[in-house]
Amino acid sequence: MEVKNPENHAPLPPDGIDLEELATTVYDLIRDIRDPEKPETLEQLSVVYEDGVSVAPLNPSSCLIRIEFIPTIPHCSLATLIGLCMRTKLDLSLPHKHKIDINIKKGMHNTADEINKQINDKERVAAALENPNLRKIVMDCIGDNDR
């Protein structure tokens, strides 16, 4: 059963979750992820930005978190890895399970549709993280080498 807000029929936020605070938390988690090729963070490279994070109620117990990002160049070969880093950081850090959609901003990458499909496919993400070398790169980028 979906809880609806009687005024506009949109779902109500899950109990105890402030949507603005959650959006800020999400941004704070992803902004410090290091770029796989450079010493700078995603925020320093303007790959992620505050307005690219939005949160909406999904059902009584979870939210839909949307992240839009801009690769450094339109043919960036590491855009999938950057998306994988963001997803992994959020999966490891958020206390509640939410639906997370990560997408490249429209028109900002030559193969955005394919990359968006990859980074939002749970089976592909799980398979990628089973590769020990790739997992190490992701953990190095997100600064979580203990897992």
Side-chain angles (χ1 to χ4, degrees):
M1 180 174 152
E2 188 172 324
V3 177
K4 298 268 187 178
N5 180 338
E7 291 177 21
N8 62 9
H9 303 289
L12 292 169
D15 286 339
I17 295 181
D18 179 318
L19 299 179
E20 278 187 45
E21 185 176 315
L22 179 56
T24 299
T25 298
V26 167
Y27 182 71
D28 286 345
L29 288 167
I30 64 172
R31 71 189 219 168
D32 291 328
I33 295 171
R34 278 193 317 66
D35 182 90
E37 285 186 321
K38 301 175 178 148
E40 292 89 0
T41 66
L42 298 184
E43 180 183 51
Q44 290 168 329
L45 294 169
S46 300
V47 172
V48 296
Y49 45 95
E50 284 186 83
D51 290 343
V53 176
S54 64
V55 177
L58 186 62
N59 59 47
S61 61
S62 65
C63 294
L64 172 60
I65 298 169
R66 287 196 171 117
I67 299 169
E68 179 182 81
F69 72 104
I70 301 174
T72 53
I73 53 176
H75 55 277
C76 177
S77 62
L78 297 174
T80 305
L81 180 57
I82 290 169
L84 181 61
C85 289
M86 287 190 280
R87 177 169 300 284
T88 302
K89 178 78 172 191
L90 295 174
D91 285 345
L92 293 173
S93 302
L94 293 176
H96 301 313
K97 292 296 175 196
H98 301 288
K99 179 168 175 26
I100 301 169
D101 282 342
I102 300 173
N103 293 288
I104 294 172
K105 186 173 183 172
K106 206 164 218 35
M108 300 307 288
H109 196 279
N110 299 343
T111 59
D113 290 341
E114 294 87 35
I115 293 170
N116 292 341
K117 191 179 288 187
Q118 284 182 327
I119 58 180
N120 289 299
D121 183 318
K122 287 182 182 182
E123 290 178 12
R124 288 185 187 185
V125 168
L129 291 173
E130 286 178 10
N131 177 321
N133 296 327
L134 188 54
R135 184 171 180 81
K136 181 183 181 331
I137 292 168
V138 168
M139 293 305 169
D140 288 345
C141 290
I142 67 174
D144 197 345
N145 295 318
D146 299 332
R147 297 181 197 234

